[in-house]
């Protein structure tokens, strides 16, 4: 039996199982279960079933976010600002407001951005792209300073002695804060390259490397746990919602 006959046999078997599953559990549960199995089939090797599920997922996601962007961003923030009566059927609250013609500027930038598709005037899109990148960088700089940088500094400036409800709580809380203080200090020493890493300075830098490795390991473990949680959810869907083997 050659490879082509095996592929056709697998295809017929999948169709028969799909039809039987639709009859037993319904169309939507069956489609979800088969798409999950198609994605998991990549563990064996790259195949046509995995590619079908992958392309379907990408296409549906792109269509969903396109519709969400159109009705959630473009219509209320541009169309309703320039000519409010036109959105009266979908967004009646915005239809009663006065037009704001300052929004012609983002409309012009959007048109310039679409010039990227033109084989002749594609360079014009760089103006709009430069404006978007510069504006985004400027706005995010303030936000990141407030939410990340200052918050990280605030989380590091902790009291080294914390009095708890009992001796064990006091010891654990104080040890945690001291560990964070020493770990941050050693990590900063590791990134100080103006002085050679030897002697006491080198020992401190090596402790900083150890702290960084522990941090990266914890982050990787958190990521693995998140993936395992997703796998457990899909397995529960297959065994409970589809096959009904567990409660």
């Amino acid at each position: 039996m050659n490879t082509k006959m095996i592929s056709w046999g697998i295809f017929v078997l999948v169709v028969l199982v799909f039809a039987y599953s639709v009859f037993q559990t319904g169309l939507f549960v069956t489609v979800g279960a088969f798409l999950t199995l198609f994605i998991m089939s990549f563990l064996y090797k790259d195949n046509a079933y995995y590619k079908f599920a992958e392309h379907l997922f990408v296409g549906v996601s792109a269509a969903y976010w396109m519709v969400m962007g159109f009705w959630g961003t473009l219509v209320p923030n541009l169309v309703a600002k320039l000519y409010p009566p036109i959105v009266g059927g979908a967004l009646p609250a915005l239809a009663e407001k006065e037009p704001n013609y300052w929004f012609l500027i983002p409309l012009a930038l959007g048109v310039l951005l679409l010039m990227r598709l033109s084989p002749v005037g594609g360079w014009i899109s760089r103006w709009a792209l430069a404006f978007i990148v510069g504006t985004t960088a400027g706005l995010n700089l303030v936000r990141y300073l407030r939410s990340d940088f200052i918050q990280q500094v605030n989380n590091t400036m902790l009291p080294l002695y914390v009095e708890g409800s009992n001796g064990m709580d006091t010891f654990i809380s104080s040890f945690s804060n001291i560990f964070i203080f020493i770990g941050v200090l050693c990590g900063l020493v590791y990134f100080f390259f103006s002085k050679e890493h030897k002697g006491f300075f080198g020992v401190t830098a090596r402790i900083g490397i150890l702290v960084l490795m522990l941090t990266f390991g914890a982050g990787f473990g958190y990521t693995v746990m998140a993936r395992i949680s997703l796998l457990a959810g899909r397995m529960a869907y297959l065994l409970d919602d589809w096959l009904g083997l567990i409660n």
Side-chain angles (χ1 to χ4, degrees), residues 80-126:
K81 300 292 183 182
L82 296 177
Y83 190 62
I86 199 172
V87 299
L91 302 170
L94 299 178
E96 300 175 356
K97 296 185 177 181
E98 295 294 327
N100 188 346
Y101 295 109
W102 282 104
F103 283 82
L104 288 173
I105 297 177
L107 175 62
L109 292 174
V111 173
L112 292 179
L113 203 60
L114 291 177
M115 291 298 292
R116 183 84 176 176
L117 302 176
S118 173
V120 179
W123 59 273
I124 300 178
S125 64
R126 297 175 184 172

Side-chain angles (χ1 to χ4, degrees), residues 161-174:
Y161 176 75
V162 180
E163 187 173 359
S165 58
N166 51 54
M168 183 58 69
D169 289 343
T170 300
F171 173 75
I172 294 176
S173 300
S174 300

Side-chain angles (χ1 to χ4, degrees), residues 180-225:
I180 292 174
F181 173 75
I182 296 177
V184 171
L185 189 63
C186 294
L188 293 176
V189 168
Y190 169 70
F191 288 104
F192 190 79
F193 300 111
S194 298
K195 181 179 175 55
E196 187 176 359
H197 290 183
K198 64 180 183 180
F200 177 76
F201 195 81
V203 173
T204 307
R206 282 193 289 274
I207 295 176
I209 295 175
L210 179 62
V211 173
L212 290 175
M213 296 302 292
L214 289 174
T215 305
F216 295 150
F220 179 74
Y222 180 78
T223 303
V224 172
M225 287 179 61

Side-chain angles (χ1 to χ4, degrees), residues 54-70:
E54 182 187 32
H55 293 172
L56 181 65
F57 176 76
V58 173
V60 171
S61 299
Y64 173 79
W65 287 113
M66 183 176 178
V67 173
M68 290 295 294
F70 180 79

